[in-house]
Amino acid sequence: MKKKMNSKIDSNRIGKIKVNALRIIVYLVMALTILLMCFMPRYIRSNSFFSSALGYVERSSVIIYMLLCCLPFLFALFVVKRICDLISLGNSFSVTTLSYLTQIVTCCYIEAIINVLALILFPILLNIGFVSLNLLIVGICGAVAVFTTVLKELVKSAIRLREENELTI
C-alpha cells in the first residue's frame, strides 16, 4: 500500500515537472517570437537585398505579413500556457480545455489562410524558397489542426467517461 502511494506521489511530481518544463519552453518561444517581431522589420528595412529587390510598399507588405503570421502563433502559445495552468491545477479534462483546443485549431487555420494569401498577394516574392516555406507552414498548420482536433475528441471522451464514473456508485 505504501509503495503504491509513493509511486503516485512520484508520478504527480514528475507530471508537475513536465508541465513546468513545458511552461518554460512556451515562455522562451514567446520571448523569441516577440524579439523577432521587434527586430525583423529593422532588418528588412536595412538589408540591401530587400532594399534593391523590393520597393517600399513591398517591404512594408512583407513586414505586415510577418507580423500577421506571428499573432496567431503567439495567441496559440498563450493558450497552451493556459492549458498548462489547467493541468497543474488538476483540471485538465474540462470544458475549458475543449474551448482552448478549439482556439488552437482556429489559430492554425488563420495561420494557414495568412500564408496562402501571401502566396496570392505577393507575386514579386514567388521564388522557390518563399513558396516552399509557405507551403511547409500551411502543411504544419494543417497537421497541428488535425492533431489538436483528435486531442479534442479524446478530451471529450475522457470528460464523458469521468462523468459516467462519477454517477456510478
Side-chain angles (χ1 to χ4, degrees), residues 89-106:
L89 293 173
N91 196 13
S92 55
F93 298 114
S94 66
V95 179
T96 309
T97 306
L98 291 175
S99 70
Y100 288 162
L101 291 173
T102 303
Q103 291 173 5
I104 291 173
V105 170
T106 305

Side-chain angles (χ1 to χ4, degrees), residues 44-123:
I44 289 173
R45 284 189 195 115
S46 66
N47 191 320
S48 62
F49 168 75
F50 287 108
S51 298
S52 63
L54 304 174
Y56 177 76
V57 174
E58 288 88 5
R59 279 189 309 228
S60 299
S61 299
V62 169
I63 291 169
I64 291 170
Y65 158 71
M66 288 178 50
L67 294 176
L68 283 176
C69 280
C70 289
L71 292 177
F73 180 69
L74 279 173
F75 185 76
L77 284 174
F78 180 71
V79 171
V80 169
K81 182 241 174 245
R82 289 172 25 187
I83 291 173
C84 287
D85 294 341
L86 282 177
I87 292 171
S88 66
L89 293 173
N91 196 13
S92 55
F93 298 114
S94 66
V95 179
T96 309
T97 306
L98 291 175
S99 70
Y100 288 162
L101 291 173
T102 303
Q103 291 173 5
I104 291 173
V105 170
T106 305
C107 287
C108 289
Y109 289 141
I110 291 170
E111 187 79 30
I113 289 169
I114 289 171
N115 281 285
V116 168
L117 285 175
L119 286 174
I120 296 168
L121 297 176
F122 296 141

Side-chain angles (χ1 to χ4, degrees), residues 122-133:
F122 296 141
I124 196 165
L125 295 177
L126 288 180
N127 61 24
I128 191 70
F130 184 74
V131 172
S132 60
L133 179 65

